[in-house]
Amino acid sequence: MRASLSPLLWPFLDQTLFAAEAKRPPRFLFVVKSSGLTPAELVPQEWRAAKVTKGEERGWPDRLRPSDSLIDLSLQDKRLSPSLRSLESLKDHLTILQGLSGKMCRGGHSAWYGAMGCYLTGDEGSPGRPVYPTVDGRLAKALPAIFPHVGLTLGGKVLSGVKDSVVYPGISAIDTDRPLPYQASPSMAYQNLFGIAVRGKQAQAKQKLKTMLLDHMVGDVRRLQRDIGSADQEKLDHYLAAFEGLRDRRRELKGLEATIRKHAPTVTDKYVSDIETDRIEAHFDIAAATLISGLSNVVTVRADTLDVTYRGLGISKHVHGIGHAESVDGMTPVDARNRIREFHVDQIARVAAKLAAVPEADGSMLDNTLIVYFSDAAEKHHGSCVEWPFVLVGGLRGKLRATRGGRYLQFPEYGQSGHRTIASLYLSLMHAVGQTQDEFGNRDLNLSKDSQLGPLSELLLSSVQR
Amino acid sequence: MFYRVFLAILSVCSLSGAAEESGSQQSAFVAQSFLDAHCVSCHDGESPEAGLSLSRASSNFKEPATVQLWQRVLEQIELGAMPPRNEPRPARADRHDLSRYIVEQLARVGQQSTIGFKRRSPAYGNRLDHERLFDGSETGPAYSPARLWRLGPQAYDQIVEKLGPGVRHATAIHQPFMLDETRGTIADFAAQQFADAATLQLLMMNCETIAKYQTTGIKRREQGELHIERRTPAAFQPIIDAADPVSVEQIKLAVQYEFNQLLGRSPTKQEQTEYVDLFRQSAAIAGNVEALQTTLMAMMLQPEAVYRLEIGFGDREPDGRRKLSPYELAFAIAYALTDDGPDKVRIPDVADGAGQDPEHSPSLLELAEAGKLSTSDDVERVVLAFLNANTMAVADYRMFRDDHRIGNKRVLRFFREFFGYHHAPKVFKDEKRIGNDDQFNTERLVNDADQFVMHLFDQDQDVLRRLLTSSEYFVAYLGSLEKIAEDLHYIKTNVNDQGFEFNSAYVRRAEQAGRHPIPIESASVRNYVQFYNLDPLEWDYPTQQPFPLPKRQRAGILMHPAWLIAWSGNFDNDPIRRGQWIREHLLADTIPDVPITVNAVVPEDHHRTLRDRLEVTRADSCWKCHQKMNPLGLAFEGFDDFGRHRDREMLGEMLTIFTDRHQQANFAAVNQTGELIASGDAEIDGPVESALELVERLASSQRVQQSFVRHAFRFWMGRNETFADSPTLIAAEKAYAENGGSMKSLIASLLSSDSFIYRK
């Protein structure tokens, strides 16, 4: 169902939770790549010989050696793997998280909503039903803003190519049956988020006309609701809520006009470029500006889809073909995967640097923003979800345990004592914003219940946990 | 029955404390009694049916496993799937009460039942018991829910073009009403299509663009020069030109014009007053032109321009159903048959005999206004007249023609969504195997398949049987001899074309050898005929089509390369999904999702045949479902994953599709045997030699015919069937069969049925 309720009408928003910290709530940037995030390629160079085994077949990625106990090491004095090297200067804010599983999800090309929601849904071509909200949706509800959630993407569903409109990639949901939309066009995303700053100095009259139009539309929809009685009320409710939401949002944006103008990104040719890397860069610029200007506290960037060809990186093959270890002109498929990951990480480092330059309390905005990089296909092109790696950059105002020089955390492998699932990672994020629930999504029925309850104690400071 | 009374009492008693708890316990006991009476004889013991034991079902709904269990029970009960047909059926009221108990318990733990979602989703349509739908035991009355049906993407495009002809050439218009494009499902289900905040965002942008295009114009810079593109209706010009406040009459004329374009009707008095007021208030702030733009936007955004109303404003029946009014019917029929509104859909008057100029035929709207569109007979007559008047005789597949002029567009869309062959260009094929232009080549195949299905639709005899078994195909056909001559002339004379020398030489050579050349101007695109095992250099192109391809090789749409590619994987055939497609689309059967614990992967060892590699599915836990799919799909192993017929399968990595170049390759003989089991029609069950025998078998089955009718129902009603729709389905099948396999009669029967005409 393509029905996302107007974000401003969510009745259950906890408006007071962060009232005291309204000016510096925690922020989240989820970066979701397709085709899996290769665990072996996250291992620092010094440990590679000990922790990585060669790929099973020629052209396939190397594999991370599983561990039967928790590995918790400092990354200080260690050289990050080549594709992560732009994070060297941000190592104090870096956690490499390995060994979690997510076998309550579907796996394959995409776990769809399951990747951030921890449940089985969808099939090869369709995302299926958002049975529960996903973690970005949950956080969006907990951290209200003018735009509770901003989704930016290159394409729609995982097998599709680059799009230029609003799409539903099927990975985020604000609630049951309420998928979250993503904007695939950087220029339209800019217009929606920062448009008021551009138009602000133009005729006041135009602004008034817009408000008048929205008022008229609210009245018009209500009149039809009266005329047709109970038939399909839900649809008109959504349409009405959409107008009301727009009207209220305009009012709020107006109040923030100066701030928005100050932080709006500079529009360049990249916003209308056909080159995939240009569009991704524009999306990351928008994501950073959205967080810095306070327009939203939760942004998800769907960094690519399987039908994307990274021409801007000199790669001649779709991500899909690379995932199948096909040959690529002038490089191995593993090289191509590394180059794509490096490009994503460069973007993340760019955003992190921008956030680090914004002073906040006694640190910077990066201390209170967590960037979460992972894949909706877990650990490989056809994800098995038996391991699900994450790269975390940033902080949550000291609620996240930090290790000087960065941290490498690898949980015991699937089935071993101490093994944890991605649900616990998401619970950690929820706990960090005060949402102290014990369970998230559905459980993996092959694992013990206890191992799936509560946040990752290794990740959070004990004061945050219940 | 005792527990029913008990549940009724429970529902009105106090929900407080101990009473509630004891009530829950007792109603759980009662629910268990239902299971004991009707379910546990099969679902119990060491190996219960479907792995589901119901002898001591937990009633602790706080446990996720309990929730899942009862969701399954609810689903089976609501869909009539359980108990099986040969077991005593529980009374309807008892089933209803059990369902209510489960829904209430779910609600207490904050869970929703999943059955409602499934009922609305096309993927779950087959869950409803097939026999019960067609055995005549259900008597209706049939109706669709009173509803709002959001415009489809193609219908929206037509409205944009109507309001602002050519606006797309001037600037970008975004599609706000995208549909799900999952392979093999009916895309446009009314209950699933919403206009929400994200849709509105796009709609607003489009409306602003169109309002400008209709008034002051859109600025466009080309090679340094500024162009202003606009299309201003005559009714707007006086307002744009006026220096002073304009008269109410002038505003009314503008409102009247836009309203008619949008909705095919005049505004009501109240609507007119509201738009005049909006104009005047806007004009006071920003002048006439801005006011006109704002008013136009308001009209374009009104809910009736986004949603088609199907409320049932007509007569009310004693049973509470209400008929669609003639105006509602005009819209419903227009969008069932075309992407245009009812003012543009013209119906030749069959009573006046053939040869009536379509331009002078009345529109659906005019028929409604004249009182000629109110009864079921009226609808049937109108639908048949329209379907007969639009044939492939005018189809145009010449180069550079994106619009192939197919009149029965919605019929074609049904065939595409049902068979899914139009997904062929979306199946990623490795470039090194297929070569360049793969997308373009597979689009050609889709064009060929379109002509194949629509030709059979026009002939309207034994449509389904011939769709499945005809060996007369279209390949690169342009529509007529004249059109072929036109494109050949272009190839021979267009000296500025980059490939002129090469292409004109090809045409000359073919003609000198006494063959008809393929009227395609690119050698790499001409190569696509190889998908049909035709030689692009030596083939004598048939100028009359369809023409027979060798009967021993392929027959019907399921052996059309477009279908075979659409239902193939990136590197291999996909017997599992082909089999699943046949199960779900032709046998009205269901295949459960892959279980959560299964990591379903076909071994990558390319030195074994695909059939051999699929042996992994023979494990007991897999085969239970795979036996319903694999033996159907494997019958198509006589084709490669590009749809080319083959006698042997190449082993090892295929480097190009031209297997002859693989000097060192190993081959295995193709085994294309298959089997139909538990089809629901015992007459057709049994082993088959190949896909050719399989499709003949399927084409002879009434079950297949009924499954086809069920899918057609879903497409034209925009929803899944219910048991109350049983009389509609039976009548549609009868209309099809009694008229010699007439698809047109089937559609006319569906659209004149109570399911289509009544709302409740």
Side-chain angles (χ1 to χ4, degrees), chain B residues 148-286:
Chain B
L148 278 66
W149 195 345
R150 199 189 69 185
L151 283 183
Q154 298 88 357
Y156 181 74
D157 288 346
Q158 293 300 323
I159 286 189
V160 169
E161 188 56 27
K162 204 158 138 190
L163 294 175
V167 63
R168 275 198 173 73
H169 300 296
T171 187
I173 294 286
H174 303 279
Q175 179 51 259
F177 301 142
M178 295 290 279
L179 293 173
D180 184 22
E181 291 169 355
T182 307
R183 241 182 340 176
T185 50
I186 305 295
D188 193 1
F189 261 34
Q192 293 198 312
Q193 312 309 336
F194 279 74
D196 56 13
T199 318
L200 181 61
Q201 192 181 313
L202 292 176
L203 264 181
M204 293 272 285
M205 284 189 209
N206 291 348
C207 291
E208 201 167 343
T209 303
I210 297 167
K212 274 192 189 143
Y213 189 70
Q214 288 190 303
T215 53
T216 49
I218 290 163
K219 291 178 190 156
R220 186 167 61 86
R221 199 171 280 282
E222 201 171 87
Q223 294 176 342
E225 275 188 45
L226 186 68
H227 299 264
I228 295 181
E229 310 264 0
R230 68 176 199 156
R231 242 352 150 79
T232 307
F236 299 175
Q237 201 59 51
I239 298 177
I240 296 168
D241 295 340
D244 302 318
V246 292
S247 71
V248 171
E249 272 320 301
Q250 281 173 319
I251 305 169
K252 278 185 178 171
L253 280 175
V255 170
Q256 171 92 20
Y257 172 85
E258 194 78 347
F259 230 87
N260 265 311
Q261 291 295 101
L262 269 169
L263 302 178
R265 69 171 172 89
S266 299
T268 62
K269 224 173 187 166
Q270 189 192 348
E271 286 165 340
Q272 199 157 57
T273 309
E274 282 175 10
Y275 288 114
V276 170
D277 287 350
L278 179 65
F279 181 98
R280 296 179 110 177
Q281 288 163 18
S282 308
I285 293 169

Side-chain angles (χ1 to χ4, degrees), chain A residues 157 192 232 235 238-239 326, chain B residues 148 180 190 194 201 301 571:
Chain A
K157 290 188 283 188
N192 292 334
D232 246 352
K235 284 185 182 160
H238 283 301
Y239 201 48
E326 286 175 27
Chain B
L148 278 66
D180 184 22
F194 279 74
Q201 192 181 313
L301 287 168
F571 306 99

Side-chain angles (χ1 to χ4, degrees), chain B residues 308-337:
Chain B
R308 170 157 44 104
L309 305 186
E310 292 191 352
I311 306 300
F313 288 120
D315 299 338
R316 191 189 180 93
E317 298 290 315
D319 57 22
R321 294 179 302 158
R322 287 194 317 209
K323 222 175 181 178
L324 291 182
S325 68
Y327 179 77
E328 287 174 300
L329 258 182
F331 271 85
I333 296 168
Y335 285 122
L337 299 176

Side-chain angles (χ1 to χ4, degrees), chain B residues 355-381:
Chain B
Q356 187 187 7
D357 178 3
E359 290 298 309
H360 294 100
S361 305
S363 71
L364 274 171
L365 209 56
E366 286 162 346
L367 286 175
E369 282 161 3
K372 292 180 180 170
L373 198 60
S374 52
T375 67
S376 167
D377 287 348
D378 290 341
V379 177
E380 190 179 359
R381 201 164 39 240

Side-chain angles (χ1 to χ4, degrees), chain B residues 39 458 707:
Chain B
C39 313
D458 279 355
S707 182

Side-chain angles (χ1 to χ4, degrees), chain A residues 1-2 4 124 129 157 168 183 188 192 206 212 220 223 232 235 238-239 318 320 324 326, chain B residues 114 120 147-148 174 180 190 194 196 201-202 270 285 290 301-302 306 428 430 570-571 577:
Chain A
M1 198 190 303
R2 297 270 162 96
S4 38
E124 190 195 7
R129 182 186 186 202
K157 290 188 283 188
Y168 291 82
Q183 180 54 261
M188 280 168 62
N192 292 334
K206 279 208 166 176
M212 191 180 281
D220 196 22
R223 182 171 54 78
D232 246 352
K235 284 185 182 160
H238 283 301
Y239 201 48
H318 304 81
H320 200 165
H324 283 265
E326 286 175 27
Chain B
T114 49
R120 290 193 301 271
R147 63 187 176 183
L148 278 66
H174 303 279
D180 184 22
F194 279 74
D196 56 13
Q201 192 181 313
L202 292 176
Q270 189 192 348
I285 293 169
E290 299 272 359
L301 287 168
Q302 63 180 309
V306 172
F428 166 74
D430 180 7
N570 303 130
F571 306 99
R577 284 190 185 75

Side-chain angles (χ1 to χ4, degrees), chain B residues 6 89 143 173 256 275 397 403 439 471 547 551 679:
Chain B
F6 177 81
R89 187 162 288 274
Y143 60 89
I173 294 286
Q256 171 92 20
Y275 288 114
Y397 279 87
D403 172 11
Q439 178 106 352
S471 58
F547 68 99
K551 217 172 190 170
S679 66

Side-chain angles (χ1 to χ4, degrees), chain B residues 88-100:
Chain B
R89 187 162 288 274
R92 184 180 293 199
D94 295 345
R95 295 198 307 265
H96 174 75
D97 287 344
L98 179 66
S99 297
R100 201 178 55 182

